[in-house]
Amino acid sequence: MIIFDNAADMRAWCREQHRAGKTIGFVPTMGALHEGHLSLMRAAAGGNDLAVASIFVNPTQFAPHEDFNKYPRTFDQDVAMCASAGVVAVYAPTARTMYAEDYSTFVTVGGVSEGLCGGSRPHFFRGVAAVVTKLFNAVEADHAYFGQKDAQQCAVIKRMVRDLDMAVQIVEMPIVREADGLAMSSRNRYLNAEERARALCLSRSLFAALDLMERGERDAETVKSAVREGMREVKIDYVELVDAETMRPVERVERPVLLAVAALLESARLIDNIKFNPAGHGGSQQ
Amino acid sequence: MIIFDNAADMRAWCREQHRAGKTIGFVPTMGALHEGHLSLMRAAAGGNDLAVASIFVNPTQFAPHEDFNKYPRTFDQDVAMCASAGVVAVYAPTARTMYAEDYSTFVTVGGVSEGLCGGSRPHFFRGVAAVVTKLFNAVEADHAYFGQKDAQQCAVIKRMVRDLDMAVQIVEMPIVREADGLAMSSRNRYLNAEERARALCLSRSLFAALDLMERGERDAETVKSAVREGMREVKIDYVELVDAETMRPVERVERPVLLAVAALLESARLIDNIKFNPAGHGGSQQ
């Protein structure tokens, strides 16, 4: 495995590969890798000549009270997992390299970054958008892979790439779940056994709501109420039904939608979501 | 001359040149070209294998009351001038291509963008930073050339390039002046003969202040007072003496400084500046 710790060397390597006619697939991560990340890396390795991953726990997307300090750091194991998934180079800069003392540039993506996690974590997306811009400028990739688990992040990054004419193409990959339905997340490690059991209510409620919509329910409030009812065991941060592209709340399910939830357990904040496209699904009368 | 009207084609051409081993120098402009722009283009052509210019009057850096609509558009003449200065390709996108109806991404550069023009034109720099990011993503250049005339813009772009790990290297070129000292500007076309004569007080006052500092004056207020005194014929927007890198006001001239002025004439807002490095210049006692 080749490991780069600064943007200039990482970029020089990418340019050398491009000159040799190779395409590059890129998977940005914060490490603490799980099967969800590996699915992105396998897609990157399969869809391009070379796959590159980054491992960087980005301080600017955490608020002071959040879990930056305790976020799991498992670098050696992560690198081994990257290799097992077909990644040939890892970009692992330090926070000091990434952020000069007088660092002062942010990228703000309006619209899609509002509501949902942007409501609960107001500085989150400007930190994400800036760091992803930096990563894209270091790893000059043809395709970059993101998981639908962070659906709003995907929407923000797609919008940013379009708005700023970035060269990379964004590929959004499905959520990878544990056998019992829990969406994989690095933060699942925080959960004790009792919380782990209660956390199942997120995916269970989402799938029940999906079933409702598939059987014809189109009223957003009815769908959200069913989800909230199913999540009584946890403290709800939000339950939202939004347009899958603009991330704006909808009253009726008439276009592709995202049903997204966030919950606060004692040890972790968890998010999950499903997408639903009413085209092809009949109404309840049929 | 090859003219591109969209980012994808422009970028594909740049990549072809890079694959062929050529370096690219880039000069972003809003058209209405003058000798100042041409000096940048000659530097780009001289310092790289190929020179590219962009011509785009960027709506997002004008406030509603500013001169976007009357800004001079002289495209055919501009293209001929580009060719005469050694430019081989022009990127000339339309506003519709650049800004989708739901465009919502901005790049904010803190610190250096505050004060000076950032104070008088609060939305200016976030529009500039976003459009320059877009232009850099379309014209994948090795070097990009900017004029010291827009000294704060240079500082903002250098900071942005550093903070976001952009690949391009920024080259700042000296102000080009008319024979009588007036800094060249596309907006000089707005001036009538009487205003054109009064506009000379900007450069005259700056050069008098430079002389003061060269003779040892180190007190910022004394220097600024002299400039304000020399600019009594025009309405002053600002007279500032700032650190040349951070753009923060200084009280004493102890490091490289920028002395910058802006004035409102009836037909145009004009800016001008000089840089001064006290190292190598003795104090008044010597």
Side-chain angles (χ1 to χ4, degrees):
Chain A
M1 180 70 70
I2 321 170
I3 297 175
F4 296 97
D5 68 359
N6 69 84
D9 291 347
M10 182 71 243
R11 183 160 53 229
W13 183 87
C14 291
R15 291 188 170 188
E16 200 181 307
Q17 305 310 319
H18 278 137
R19 271 196 300 276
K22 309 277 192 192
T23 57
I24 296 173
F26 174 41
V27 182
T29 82
M30 298 210 300
L33 301 181
H34 52 65
E35 190 55 36
H37 298 109
L38 298 188
S39 74
L40 304 179
M41 293 177 191
R42 288 187 205 107
N48 304 270
D49 294 317
L50 298 166
V52 177
S54 63
I55 299 176
F56 179 63
V57 185
N58 176 38
T60 70
Q61 69 194 64
F62 290 82
H65 66 278
E66 290 181 342
D67 58 339
F68 175 71
N69 284 322
K70 74 165 181 175
Y71 198 87
R73 269 91 167 169
T74 55
F75 186 73
D76 295 341
Q77 193 189 327
D78 290 341
V79 170
M81 289 173 78
C82 288
S84 78
V87 165
V88 296
V90 166
Y91 179 42
T94 62
R96 236 175 52 144
T97 317
M98 289 288 268
Y99 298 109
E101 234 172 279
D102 56 352
Y103 180 93
S104 61
T105 303
F106 286 94
V107 180
T108 51
V109 183
V112 288
S113 69
E114 290 150 27
L116 305 178
C117 288
S120 318
R121 306 179 68 192
H123 292 294
F124 179 63
F125 284 118
R126 71 169 207 169
V128 167
V131 80
V132 170
T133 298
K134 285 168 71 71
L135 295 171
F136 285 171
N137 281 332
V139 182
E140 292 184 338
D142 299 278
H143 300 95
Y145 297 76
F146 292 85
Q148 190 200 312
K149 167 78 175 354
D150 302 301
Q152 190 179 14
Q153 174 175 282
C154 286
V156 166
I157 289 166
K158 281 182 188 168
R159 173 65 66 90
M160 174 182 82
V161 164
R162 186 204 69 174
D163 280 357
L164 295 183
D165 298 323
M166 292 178 175
V168 67
Q169 284 193 281
I170 304 302
V171 183
E172 185 172 344
M173 300 288 293
I175 296 178
V176 177
R177 298 180 180 279
E178 305 284 356
D180 59 7
L182 183 70
M184 291 209 185
S185 164
S186 303
R187 289 185 170 102
N188 290 349
R189 306 178 191 213
Y190 297 152
L191 305 175
N192 63 34
E194 181 273 328
E195 291 173 314
R196 173 71 181 70
R198 274 194 290 141
L200 282 182
C201 72
L202 276 70
S203 55
R204 204 169 47 222
S205 306
L206 287 170
F207 282 107
L210 180 62
D211 188 53
L212 265 182
M213 290 189 283
E214 281 175 348
R215 284 186 289 119
E217 185 57 58
R218 293 293 175 265
D219 179 61
E221 197 43 50
T222 306
V223 174
K224 289 190 285 184
S225 291
V227 174
R228 280 194 291 264
E229 182 67 16
M231 285 173 64
R232 274 181 307 177
E233 295 166 75
V234 295
K235 186 175 170 204
I236 292 172
D237 180 4
Y238 62 74
V239 171
E240 290 290 357
L241 191 60
V242 299
D243 182 287
E245 196 195 325
T246 66
M247 300 287 128
R248 290 218 183 105
V250 298
E251 293 186 3
R252 305 269 314 160
V253 179
E254 283 161 351
R255 296 174 18 87
V257 289
L258 175 78
L259 178 59
V261 302
L264 301 159
L265 282 86
E266 289 69 28
S267 312
R269 178 176 177 278
L270 299 180
I271 60 175
D272 198 352
N273 69 75
I274 52 162
K275 284 190 174 173
F276 175 69
N277 183 351
H281 288 281
S284 50
Q285 289 78 17
Q286 301 180 310
Chain B
M1 180 70 71
I2 322 170
I3 297 175
F4 296 97
D5 68 359
N6 68 84
D9 290 348
M10 183 70 242
R11 184 159 53 227
W13 182 87
C14 291
R15 291 187 170 189
E16 201 182 306
Q17 304 311 318
H18 276 137
R19 271 195 301 274
K22 309 277 192 195
T23 58
I24 297 174
F26 175 41
V27 182
T29 83
M30 299 211 300
L33 301 181
H34 51 67
E35 191 56 36
H37 298 108
L38 297 188
S39 74
L40 304 180
M41 292 177 192
R42 287 186 206 110
N48 303 271
D49 295 316
L50 298 166
V52 177
S54 64
I55 299 175
F56 179 62
V57 186
N58 177 39
T60 69
Q61 70 195 64
F62 290 82
H65 65 278
E66 290 181 342
D67 58 339
F68 174 71
N69 284 323
K70 76 165 178 174
Y71 199 88
R73 268 90 167 168
T74 55
F75 188 74
D76 294 341
Q77 192 188 330
D78 290 340
V79 170
M81 289 173 80
C82 287
S84 78
V87 165
V88 296
V90 166
Y91 180 41
T94 62
R96 235 175 53 142
T97 316
M98 289 289 267
Y99 298 110
E101 232 172 280
D102 56 353
Y103 180 93
S104 60
T105 303
F106 286 94
V107 180
T108 51
V109 183
V112 288
S113 70
E114 290 149 28
L116 305 178
C117 290
S120 317
R121 306 179 70 192
H123 292 293
F124 178 64
F125 283 118
R126 70 169 208 169
V128 168
V131 80
V132 170
T133 297
K134 286 168 70 72
L135 295 171
F136 285 171
N137 282 332
V139 182
E140 291 184 339
D142 299 276
H143 300 94
Y145 297 76
F146 292 85
Q148 190 198 310
K149 167 79 173 356
D150 302 300
Q152 190 179 16
Q153 175 175 281
C154 286
V156 166
I157 288 166
K158 281 182 188 168
R159 173 65 65 91
M160 175 182 80
V161 164
R162 186 204 69 173
D163 280 357
L164 296 183
D165 297 324
M166 292 177 174
V168 68
Q169 284 193 281
I170 304 302
V171 183
E172 184 170 345
M173 299 287 294
I175 296 178
V176 177
R177 298 181 179 280
E178 305 285 356
D180 59 8
L182 184 69
M184 292 210 184
S185 164
S186 303
R187 289 186 170 102
N188 290 349
R189 307 179 190 212
Y190 297 152
L191 305 174
N192 61 35
E194 183 273 327
E195 291 172 313
R196 172 71 181 71
R198 274 194 291 140
L200 281 182
C201 71
L202 277 70
S203 55
R204 204 170 46 223
S205 306
L206 287 171
F207 282 108
L210 180 62
D211 189 51
L212 265 183
M213 290 189 283
E214 282 174 348
R215 284 187 288 120
E217 185 55 60
R218 294 292 175 265
D219 179 61
E221 196 43 50
T222 306
V223 174
K224 289 190 286 183
S225 291
V227 175
R228 278 194 294 263
E229 182 67 17
M231 285 174 63
R232 274 180 310 180
E233 297 167 74
V234 295
K235 186 175 171 204
I236 293 173
D237 181 4
Y238 63 74
V239 172
E240 291 289 356
L241 191 61
V242 299
D243 181 286
E245 196 196 325
T246 65
M247 299 288 126
R248 290 215 184 107
V250 297
E251 292 186 3
R252 305 265 318 155
V253 179
E254 283 159 350
R255 297 174 16 85
V257 290
L258 176 78
L259 177 59
V261 302
L264 300 159
L265 281 86
E266 291 67 28
S267 312
R269 178 176 177 277
L270 299 180
I271 61 175
D272 198 352
N273 68 76
I274 52 161
K275 284 189 173 174
F276 174 70
N277 184 350
H281 288 282
S284 51
Q285 288 78 15
Q286 301 180 310

